[in-house]
Amino acid sequence: MPMTPGTTDVPVVVYHDLESWAAMRVLSLVALIVLVVAHVFDVDLGVFWVFAYGIPGSTAAIAVMGRRRIELDSTGIRVYRRGKLRLQRPLSSFSRLKPLFAGTVAIVFDDGAWTWIPSVGQEGTTLLDFLSATREAEVVRGPTRGSNVLEMRVTALRFPAGTCVGCGREATTTVDFEASSGWNFIFVSWGVSRTLRAPACERCQSRRKWLFRGAFALPAVSMLYVLPGPWSPPGQPDPIRTVAFIVAVSSFLGLIRWGDALFDRWLFGLWGFSLSRDTSRVRLRVRDPGLRHDIAGLARSPGTGVAAVDAEGTTYVL
């Protein structure tokens, strides 16, 4: 999809709060039937009570507030609710993207008006990319230390097609890297994340999968020693079991938080993916000088606002 700012041939990018209103109503009807049957026959739904009440409740809330439709094109940004235009601004009044909670982003305008969109899903990420591509080119320089760092707009990041980023063989599949902005740990997050895909071969993809499984298996095996068994008589304190429990839990949490970066650095030489506060730029570290140069070269297109520092300290201003 072309994203050339200032032209009239840019198609309208559309976002809906709910892609299928009919499907939501059907789910709500099914949930209500389940609730009625459960109350009549005194059936305990357990944790499914939350879903049984949540789906009709969400449907009712959307029906009361009205579903939104957000349109973006070269002329401006328009927000509709219940079919009526509620907010309209020219594209030039777009100020910034502000990360919110639970993977949502606020589109903020110069006069303080704003609306929100999710940063996940095809519609949400397309809107983010569209807004990022409409900004004027800005020079983003890499840090003075660490010449393996590249920083560029998300829309400008491209990997050499057909070549595995891990071993250089022919790429037959893709591997996903997650770039994030804000704080994210297990199920608690404040900020946004974007999935970036790079070409990879089946061998590197398989190595990555088995490495993850093996790494998480180690703390799981350690927990077996902590659980009651013939090797640990009940009622007798065992300091070794206590240490094993602490090591297992710490390893498990550490792998969740930093495992991706460690494994991807070792397997692919790509790590440190992070988004800027407005989610328009991505920073990453590339170990291989040749791949680093190729990525910087592929990003060198007019209007992308890219600058990168290669292994020799050369700064590309694009």
Side-chain angles (χ1 to χ4, degrees):
M1 180 183 67
M3 293 186 182
T4 307
T7 62
T8 57
D9 60 345
V10 179
V12 177
V13 182
V14 180
Y15 164 79
H16 299 85
D17 273 340
L18 190 63
E19 186 173 353
S20 178
W21 179 238
M24 191 69 173
R25 287 184 296 182
V26 171
L27 286 175
S28 299
L29 179 60
V30 172
L32 289 174
I33 294 174
V34 171
L35 286 172
V36 171
V37 172
H39 281 294
V40 171
F41 294 96
D42 195 22
V43 177
D44 185 9
L45 296 179
V47 295
F48 292 101
W49 281 114
V50 178
F51 299 100
Y53 280 107
I55 293 176
S58 301
T59 305
I62 294 174
V64 171
M65 294 187 300
R67 292 178 296 155
R68 292 179 310 158
R69 173 187 171 91
I70 303 176
E71 296 181 353
L72 285 83
D73 58 22
S74 58
T75 62
I77 305 173
R78 298 171 296 279
V79 180
Y80 297 87
R81 192 182 291 275
R82 297 184 181 278
K84 296 182 178 180
L85 184 62
R86 303 296 185 181
L87 178 66
Q88 183 175 13
R89 295 291 186 278
L91 204 57
S92 58
S93 69
F94 165 60
S95 174
R96 69 186 189 281
L97 295 169
K98 179 182 178 182
L100 301 175
F101 60 92
T104 57
V105 178
I107 303 175
V108 184
F109 302 99
D110 291 333
D111 59 0
W114 65 281
T115 188
W116 64 270
I117 58 172
S119 63
V120 295
Q122 182 62 42
E123 288 186 342
T125 54
T126 301
L127 261 70
L128 293 179
D129 290 344
F130 183 95
L131 291 171
S132 298
T134 58
R135 305 305 299 269
E136 294 296 329
E138 300 172 4
V139 175
V140 181
R141 298 185 180 276
T144 55
R145 296 181 181 180
S147 59
N148 57 6
V149 176
L150 297 177
E151 184 171 346
M152 63 190 69
R153 294 197 181 280
V154 177
T155 52
L157 177 60
R158 300 176 183 86
F159 296 94
T163 304
C164 176
V165 293
C167 62
R169 295 187 177 92
E170 181 182 0
T172 55
T173 182
T174 58
V175 60
D176 292 344
F177 299 99
E178 184 178 276
S180 60
S181 171
W183 189 81
N184 181 25
F185 188 70
I186 309 180
F187 299 112
V188 181
S189 64
W190 185 274
V192 296
S193 61
R194 299 286 300 274
T195 299
L196 307 173
R197 289 183 172 85
C201 65
E202 294 286 352
R203 179 173 175 268
C204 288
Q205 185 75 283
S206 178
R207 288 178 61 196
R208 188 194 203 202
K209 179 178 66 176
W210 286 107
L211 179 62
F212 271 78
R213 291 180 178 178
F216 280 97
L218 292 177
V221 171
S222 300
M223 289 298 294
L224 293 177
Y225 181 78
V226 177
L227 298 175
W231 55 83
S232 56
Q236 297 185 10
D238 188 349
I240 298 180
R241 290 180 63 208
T242 303
V243 172
F245 175 78
I246 295 174
V247 170
V249 172
S250 301
S251 301
F252 184 75
L253 295 178
L255 287 171
I256 292 177
R257 182 65 181 88
W258 296 288
D260 289 347
L262 292 175
F263 300 147
D264 291 339
R265 177 177 183 174
W266 181 44
L267 288 175
F268 299 102
L270 298 168
W271 75 101
F273 288 84
S274 62
L275 294 175
S276 60
R277 288 186 59 84
D278 64 356
T279 73
S280 65
R281 300 184 185 89
V282 61
R283 173 183 289 186
L284 68 153
R285 292 181 179 273
V286 187
R287 181 176 57 205
D288 180 61
L291 178 60
R292 186 163 59 246
H293 186 272
D294 290 342
I295 295 174
L298 289 171
R300 298 180 65 182
S301 57
T304 57
V306 180
V309 181
D310 66 7
E312 290 75 27
T314 305
T315 300
Y316 297 98
V317 180
L318 315 174

